Amino acid sequence: MGYEGNKHFQAGDFDQAIECYTKAIKMCKDKKVLAVIHRNRSACYLKKENYSSAASDASKAIDVDAADVKALYRRCQALEKLGKLDMAFKDVQRCATIEPKNKTFLETLRRLGAEIQAKLKTTFSTDSRVQNMFDILLDEEMEKDKKEKAANNLIVLSREDAGAERIFQNNGVQLLQNMIETGKPEMILAAVRTLSGMCTGHKARAMAIVNMVGVDKICSIMAVDNEEIALATCNLFQCINDSLSGGDKRDYGKEASLVLDAAKDLKNILLSLLEMVGSKKVSGHGRDQALNLLCKNVPRKGKKEKDNSRALFTIDHGLKKILKVCGQVPELPDQLLLTENTQLIASVLLNKLYDDLKCDPERNNFRDICDEYIKSKIDPNNMDKTIHAINTISGLLQGPFDVGNALIGHQGIMEMMVALCGSEREVDQMVAVEALIHSSTKMSRATFIITNGVSLLKDIYKKTKNEKIKIRALVGLCKLGSAGGDDYSLRQFAEGSTEKLAKQCRKWLCNPQIDAKTRKWATEGLAYLTNDADVKDDFVEDEMALKAMFELAKSKDKTILYAVACILVNCTNCYDKKEIIPELVQLAKFSKQHVPEQHPKDKKDFIEKRVKRLLKAGVISALAVMVKADSSILTDQTKEMLARVFLALSDDPKDRGTIVAQGGGKALIPLALEGTDAGKVKASHALAKIAAISNPEIAFPGERVYEVVRPLVNLLHTDREGMQNFEALRGLTNFAGFSEKLRVKIVKENALPDIENYMFEEHDELRQAATECMCNLVTCKEVQERYLEDGNDKLKLLVLLCGEDDEKLQIAAAGALAMITASQKKLCTKMTQVTAQWLEILQRLCLHDNPHIQHRGLVIVHNMFNSDDNELTKKLIESEMLEILTIIGKAADNPKRQEPIDTARACLVRAMDLGLIKPFSSPS
């Protein structure tokens, strides 16, 4: 059996060998023979990378003979792989004592000795460094810049697994808590960020930290009134959540059962966050982040996931708390602390929760809780409670519209809103008008509002002296007035009144005396009115108004993002257009149906002028800030709108430099990586336009450039439009010509099969773009290997493309062939085997009028002379190629054609060196 095993081992069949050795072990009684079989099986296990079995088998052989060098060395190899360096070192030390001249043993001894030293050094130095950092941080007297440096070092250390473990082992969690207890913002920030690093991707450590620090404590840090600390703590919670809910790929073996039950902690965190949502002790920033965390982690990631129990749990334990946030009226006393964004984030969360429900009973339960909550608040004798109820409905209308819409239809609610509109108190009127505005969102369902609302709002608009309420009433009218979208012939109001309303909105927008919240409503109004082409044209002419809107878009108030995105989409006309089929228009007119019409100012030249105006007023810097909004308010829908705007702005190559200069390249990356499918494609297309004509280092600074490759490669899929394929190829060509690191990234993203497909394409421009891209990629080793493989037509295609009539295509194909045959000599021979036309094509290249093409052809010939294939060089000299080379080489120097002349001469010199031709006299 042992002999059989040896045969299998030599043949490389290790599984069979192991089987034979195992049977032999069972049958064998002789101790010495057993030791040999164990030693052999140990070698098999080493090959199979099963290191613990290899070590234990080798040990069994060593037990019999302590001087068995083979077994000792095998155990040493296995122990090294298992990370037990000191034990491996002892084994190889014994080997070297037994055979002091064996070079392998001496080399391994030296290497392991050095590794052990290095490990000791880092372990020791990391431990003392960790202690040192905490000493500096917790020393009251220490200078500020030393503390800052120590804090940064600690954060960096925590982001590496080994560093995080060292901090953890050195009582780090307690010391970090001491830093938090100092109450100094910079200390708290450093401690929270370090904890985030320690919790990332390590379930056991994350659980330990949660239990040592306590969820309540982490919540109380997030609750402080400091935006930076709230955001950092939100990030800590996110890291904990990701690690506990399976973001950790570690194999814990036997300890898994101890570690892996994180359900209790996750439930605890969820309950604590819901507690924060409705708590008076929490700051506005803390509440925002609690809501953001719920938005991100409660709903299912995709509808394919079956389990929506997190949403159901949240609705049972927290829906009323979220509704309470929606109902707050900051103008009243004794309200929860909010930021400008809190209530809209709460609406987004309500929408996500409602969307996550799977069946009618679940939805009915959601509606019933809302219904009950509103009923409990309405009290004709207590105005404050009543407007809280109306405001809650506003929150629902901005979230799950159907739920809010159903509530408005309930007995007495509309009457209540009408009554509030006529109230003496400004705050009552404001809440009622805002609820009216939100209820008139979806046109088809707003008939009830249109019949009652328009007259009500007009009434308020005319009578009120209060600017705040006037603006809100106006927005309601704008909203009802824009019901026809961009259809020129569907108008609610008489001609000209839309422009009047818009002029009023622009005036308010530019007035710094008016509070920001009210100016935001003016923007909301314009979001509806810019459906009208006259309005959008006037608006972009008004640079003051544009700049005022961009300033608002950059402010901390993120509730304005959607309105600004709408205005920009309208002004650049980048919404999806309905195609109008002429035959159907005739048919519709004949049957007296309504026909949509296009406004003259929605034609191409007007749109181009508007784009230029927006760029001049600084739209890119506003977009760059909007994209960075770290909040659930920036929904995928809004991201898609911003991506559409970017694409429209980057249409003209002349404007792309401006876009890059103002940071547009960087801003597009997140839009191309996350969001709706349509949004990602639009953003990737805009990236491709920029990547095609910019220096990658300037357009996408630092490591960002590598993130751009994937969106561009995704545009190569055949289901994308031809223009998207073409511009993606141009962007990748530019990248591939820039650096080896980018070429490797393009290959890694699996772009080659698509690029090769487009080289076969009938479409001339696509084929040329793909060939140019390949030309820039062929210096990459992986690409050359694809051309060396047999059984494909890649090289044949490249040779045939050199014979096409299109000069740009020839330059690219011949350039690729010249570079690839220079790098891989074998390809010189292979290209003569893939097609019979190779010589004819090569001669045509060498005789070409265009010096660039001629030069590339001659370089290919030169590569053939250097290819060590004597048959091939002979064949070349016996063909007309010698005459061609002689004619070109003997020509007088000519700066316009110097490269081909020099290359032809180099070919002739090489042919002489090879003894294929006799020397000839140079031109006198």
Side-chain angles (χ1 to χ4, degrees):
M1 268 310 191
Y3 174 66
E4 289 276 314
N6 295 353
K7 266 172 53 182
H8 286 303
F9 181 82
Q10 277 152 0
D13 189 350
F14 306 120
D15 290 324
Q16 280 298 117
I18 290 172
E19 212 173 289
C20 291
Y21 290 139
T22 308
K23 283 180 187 165
I25 289 167
K26 283 177 187 161
M27 289 153 63
C28 180
K29 297 284 178 281
D30 184 329
K31 248 186 173 181
K32 282 192 175 170
V33 177
L34 254 178
V36 174
I37 301 173
H38 273 298
R39 187 179 73 197
N40 290 353
R41 192 170 69 171
S42 166
C44 295
Y45 282 133
L46 271 179
K47 294 281 189 196
K48 294 287 292 172
E49 297 183 8
N50 179 348
Y51 300 119
S52 48
S53 300
S56 92
D57 265 0
S59 296
K60 284 173 187 157
I62 296 162
D63 291 343
V64 176
D65 175 5
D68 184 340
V69 192
K70 282 187 179 174
L72 279 166
Y73 191 61
R74 273 169 204 165
R75 188 168 72 179
C76 157
Q77 287 173 293
L79 290 168
E80 183 191 345
K81 291 290 188 191
L82 291 167
K84 298 175 178 171
L85 296 184
D86 37 354
M87 289 161 75
F89 184 75
K90 279 182 192 149
D91 279 348
V92 75
Q93 227 171 0
R94 277 159 76 186
C95 291
T97 318
I98 299 162
E99 289 185 17
K101 288 193 176 155
N102 185 319
K103 279 190 181 160
T104 311
F105 296 163
L106 294 171
E107 170 55 30
T108 310
L109 190 66
R110 190 197 55 73
R111 184 169 56 78
L112 286 178
E115 276 179 32
I116 288 170
Q117 279 304 312
K119 198 168 178 189
L120 279 172
K121 207 167 163 186
T122 55
T123 309
F124 178 70
S125 69
T126 312
D127 284 354
S128 56
R129 262 172 60 212
V130 169
Q131 253 346 99
N132 190 11
M133 285 178 217
F134 280 121
D135 291 345
I136 293 173
L137 287 166
L138 293 167
D139 178 355
E140 289 290 322
E141 312 299 310
M142 193 58 73
E143 300 111 64
K144 193 170 175 224
D145 55 340
K146 275 195 179 164
K147 279 191 166 184
E148 272 177 22
K149 198 171 173 193
N152 279 334
N153 289 343
L154 199 60
I155 296 165
V156 170
L157 192 65
S158 74
R159 288 181 183 157
E160 296 164 28
D161 195 47
E165 197 51 41
R166 300 259 57 86
I167 298 173
F168 190 75
Q169 299 297 350
N170 282 284
N171 190 27
V173 179
Q174 185 51 55
L175 293 166
L176 288 165
Q177 284 177 275
N178 298 352
M179 282 169 66
I180 291 167
E181 292 313 319
T182 62
K184 294 180 181 154
E186 64 279 9
M187 287 293 209
I188 299 174
L189 265 178
V192 169
R193 286 176 178 157
T194 304
L195 287 169
S196 298
M198 292 168 73
C199 289
T200 301
H202 194 301
K203 194 168 197 168
R205 202 164 42 227
M207 282 182 87
I209 287 171
V210 169
N211 290 304
M212 287 159 87
V213 179
V215 176
D216 292 345
K217 180 68 196 167
I218 304 176
C219 286
S220 71
I221 303 169
M222 193 158 86
V224 297
D225 189 18
N226 176 318
E227 188 174 5
E228 229 185 330
I229 291 176
L231 194 60
T233 318
C234 166
N235 185 40
L236 169 59
F237 265 131
Q238 192 58 51
C239 295
I240 292 170
N241 179 74
D242 291 347
S243 291
L244 296 192
S245 57
D248 177 7
K249 302 287 175 270
R250 246 162 254 277
D251 180 13
Y252 286 102
K254 290 176 188 155
E255 295 160 23
S257 54
L258 300 174
V259 170
L260 299 182
D261 190 28
K264 202 165 106 231
D265 284 327
L266 286 167
K267 192 170 169 183
N268 235 338
I269 291 173
L270 184 51
L271 281 168
S272 302
L273 290 174
L274 289 170
E275 204 45 56
M276 281 185 78
V277 168
S279 160
K280 284 220 163 132
K281 295 181 188 145
V282 175
S283 71
H285 295 303
R287 203 175 322 277
D288 283 2
Q289 297 310 338
L291 288 163
N292 273 329
L293 281 163
L294 293 166
C295 284
K296 210 163 170 184
N297 300 305
V298 170
R300 292 168 289 168
K301 296 282 175 278
K303 294 287 185 256
K304 284 194 180 117
E305 265 181 62
K306 291 279 175 283
D307 178 22
N308 67 344
S309 57
R310 286 193 305 274
L312 300 177
F313 183 85
T314 305
I315 289 165
D316 286 344
H317 294 84
L319 181 52
K320 287 185 177 164
K321 296 185 173 89
I322 305 166
L323 292 171
K324 178 180 174 184
V325 172
C326 289
Q328 299 298 300
V329 181
E331 290 76 5
L332 296 180
D334 203 26
Q335 301 288 299
L336 296 177
L337 297 165
L338 308 172
T339 70
E340 310 92 331
N341 303 318
T342 316
Q343 289 176 298
L344 190 55
I345 304 175
S347 291
V348 170
L349 175 57
L350 289 172
N351 199 31
K352 289 190 170 207
L353 289 172
Y354 190 67
D355 254 3
D356 203 41
L357 301 178
K358 293 196 293 197
C359 56
D360 287 343
E362 290 177 1
R363 289 184 201 100
N364 292 338
N365 173 50
F366 186 99
R367 289 196 188 106
D368 292 345
I369 296 174
C370 295
D371 204 22
E372 192 188 313
Y373 183 82
I374 299 291
K375 279 186 183 143
S376 73
K377 295 293 173 199
I378 286 193
D379 178 353
N381 304 320
N382 182 338
M383 260 327 188
D384 288 2
K385 269 181 87 178
T386 304
I387 60 174
H388 177 92
I390 300 294
N391 222 20
T392 308
I393 296 178
S394 271
L396 283 162
L397 288 164
Q398 292 171 81
F401 184 84
D402 297 349
V403 180
N405 204 31
L407 287 168
I408 280 200
H410 280 200
Q411 195 72 42
I413 300 268
M414 197 65 206
E415 289 76 356
M416 194 59 89
M417 281 161 70
V418 175
L420 285 170
C421 284
S423 158
E424 295 298 309
R425 283 201 310 180
E426 174 189 286
V427 63
D428 296 342
Q429 292 184 22
M430 240 156 57
V431 168
V433 173
E434 285 184 19
L436 272 174
I437 295 171
H438 294 307
S439 60
S440 57
T441 303
K442 305 260 165 97
M443 197 47 221
S444 53
R445 306 182 196 150
T447 44
F448 170 72
I449 296 290
I450 287 182
T451 43
N452 302 283
V454 172
S455 50
L456 196 60
L457 289 167
K458 276 188 175 167
D459 215 32
I460 296 172
Y461 183 63
K462 283 177 190 149
K463 287 181 185 161
T464 183
K465 297 279 178 285
N466 183 326
E467 288 280 289
K468 291 180 176 179
I469 289 165
K470 213 178 182 63
I471 290 186
R472 286 163 173 78
L474 177 90
V475 173
L477 290 170
C478 295
K479 206 164 173 180
L480 295 169
S482 70
D486 67 343
D487 178 359
Y488 185 43
S489 50
L490 244 195
R491 282 298 153 78
Q492 279 291 326
F493 298 132
E495 270 306 316
S497 63
T498 324
E499 278 109 285
K500 257 190 252 159
L501 293 177
K503 199 168 179 186
Q504 187 57 56
C505 283
R506 296 207 315 265
K507 218 159 90 188
W508 278 321
L509 185 58
C510 295
N511 183 351
Q513 258 66 63
I514 297 178
D515 66 302
K517 207 169 176 186
T518 308
R519 286 165 61 211
K520 188 187 85 195
W521 278 102
T523 315
E524 293 271 344
L526 286 165
Y528 299 105
L529 294 170
T530 46
N531 272 312
D532 180 295
D534 289 311
V535 170
K536 51 185 147 183
D537 226 52
D538 292 344
F539 181 49
V540 280
E541 293 294 321
D542 184 345
E543 198 164 329
M544 289 265 296
L546 280 182
K547 287 192 164 154
M549 177 176 83
F550 295 154
E551 281 317 302
L552 278 178
K554 290 180 194 172
S555 69
K556 287 199 168 144
D557 182 349
K558 299 300 169 201
T559 55
I560 196 169
L561 291 180
Y562 184 73
V564 175
C566 285
I567 293 174
L568 293 174
V569 164
N570 286 338
C571 289
T572 53
N573 285 51
C574 57
Y575 36 77
D576 281 328
K577 321 250 187 317
K578 285 184 190 144
E579 222 175 300
I580 298 174
I581 302 160
E583 291 79 12
L584 289 183
V585 172
Q586 291 308 315
L587 197 65
K589 282 184 176 163
F590 181 69
S591 58
K592 300 201 175 122
Q593 289 294 321
H594 169 70
V595 182
E597 293 174 38
Q598 191 194 28
H599 192 290
K601 286 188 182 172
D602 276 331
K603 297 205 166 32
K604 198 167 188 288
D605 45 342
F606 278 96
I607 300 170
E608 282 168 8
K609 271 187 207 147
R610 288 200 288 269
V611 164
K612 301 275 187 264
R613 283 271 176 181
L614 287 167
L615 285 166
K616 185 169 168 259
V619 65
I620 296 294
S621 56
L623 284 169
V625 174
M626 290 164 76
V627 169
K628 279 201 204 99
D630 203 356
S631 161
S632 311
I633 294 175
L634 182 61
T635 57
D636 287 351
Q637 218 38 54
T638 311
K639 283 186 197 160
E640 181 186 322
M641 292 163 77
L642 296 177
R644 285 172 182 276
V645 172
F646 262 120
L647 183 57
L649 295 170
S650 55
D651 193 47
D652 182 352
K654 290 197 218 52
D655 295 329
R656 293 176 202 166
T658 314
I659 294 174
V660 167
Q662 295 177 359
K666 224 169 38 196
L668 267 166
I669 298 173
L671 296 179
L673 298 175
E674 286 168 19
T676 63
D677 288 342
K680 289 192 287 197
V681 171
K682 302 270 180 208
S684 302
H685 192 181
L687 274 176
K689 285 176 183 284
I690 289 171
I693 61 163
S694 319
N695 175 339
E697 269 184 330
I698 295 170
F700 314 106
E703 295 294 303
R704 305 308 302 264
V705 67
Y706 301 105
E707 292 175 48
V708 181
V709 174
R710 180 170 298 163
L712 295 191
V713 174
N714 288 341
L715 284 184
L716 295 179
H717 294 324
T718 41
D719 51 359
R720 299 272 164 264
E721 294 165 15
M723 200 59 194
Q724 292 169 346
N725 302 151
F726 175 69
E727 287 183 317
L729 283 167
R730 296 212 21 222
L732 290 169
T733 304
N734 193 15
F735 276 16
F738 193 74
S739 75
E740 179 62 18
K741 211 168 158 191
L742 270 170
R743 286 192 281 277
V744 171
K745 176 71 176 161
I746 292 170
V747 173
K748 264 203 187 128
E749 289 293 347
N750 203 20
L752 289 175
D754 285 323
I755 297 170
E756 286 159 359
N757 280 341
Y758 288 115
M759 288 170 70
F760 280 100
E761 179 65 52
E762 292 292 309
H763 191 288
D764 291 346
E765 282 180 337
L766 270 177
R767 188 172 55 172
Q768 180 200 320
T771 311
E772 284 172 355
C773 190
M774 187 55 80
C775 177
N776 281 354
L777 284 168
V778 290
T779 54
C780 204
K781 279 278 175 286
E782 285 95 329
V783 181
Q784 292 171 10
E785 276 155 19
R786 286 171 82 93
Y787 278 92
L788 284 164
E789 284 166 12
D790 288 325
N792 63 57
D793 286 338
K794 295 184 176 65
L795 191 63
K796 179 179 180 178
L797 176 67
L798 208 49
V799 178
L800 293 176
L801 290 175
C802 292
E804 290 285 333
D805 288 336
D806 179 345
E807 289 197 4
K808 283 183 178 166
L809 181 60
Q810 276 181 296
I811 288 180
L817 204 51
M819 283 192 283
I820 204 165
T821 49
S823 302
Q824 298 288 347
K825 292 181 175 180
K826 284 184 191 160
L827 289 175
C828 293
T829 312
K830 187 175 173 182
M831 73 172 265
T832 65
Q833 296 158 354
V834 290
T835 166
Q837 294 165 282
W838 70 273
L839 187 57
E840 180 196 337
I841 288 173
L842 198 52
Q843 288 173 349
R844 277 178 57 196
L845 290 178
C846 295
L847 289 168
H848 207 287
D849 295 340
N850 183 327
H852 299 297
I853 297 175
Q854 186 180 31
H855 177 222
R856 285 161 173 74
L858 290 161
V859 170
I860 299 169
V861 176
H862 191 255
N863 293 341
M864 288 177 155
F865 279 126
N866 285 322
S867 70
D868 307 335
D869 178 348
N870 299 337
E871 286 299 308
L872 172 57
T873 44
K874 236 187 188 137
K875 203 180 279 180
L876 279 176
I877 289 297
E878 286 165 6
S879 72
E880 288 162 22
M881 192 53 87
L882 177 58
E883 195 182 332
I884 295 171
L885 292 172
T886 312
I887 291 167
I888 301 170
K890 279 192 169 174
D893 285 356
N894 171 355
K896 284 184 182 165
R897 306 193 77 89
Q898 201 53 45
E899 284 182 318
I901 293 171
D902 289 346
T903 312
R905 289 175 186 169
C907 289
L908 292 166
V909 171
R910 179 71 186 144
M912 282 189 281
D913 293 346
L914 292 169
L916 295 167
I917 55 173
K918 306 256 183 306
F920 65 103
S921 54
S922 58
S924 50

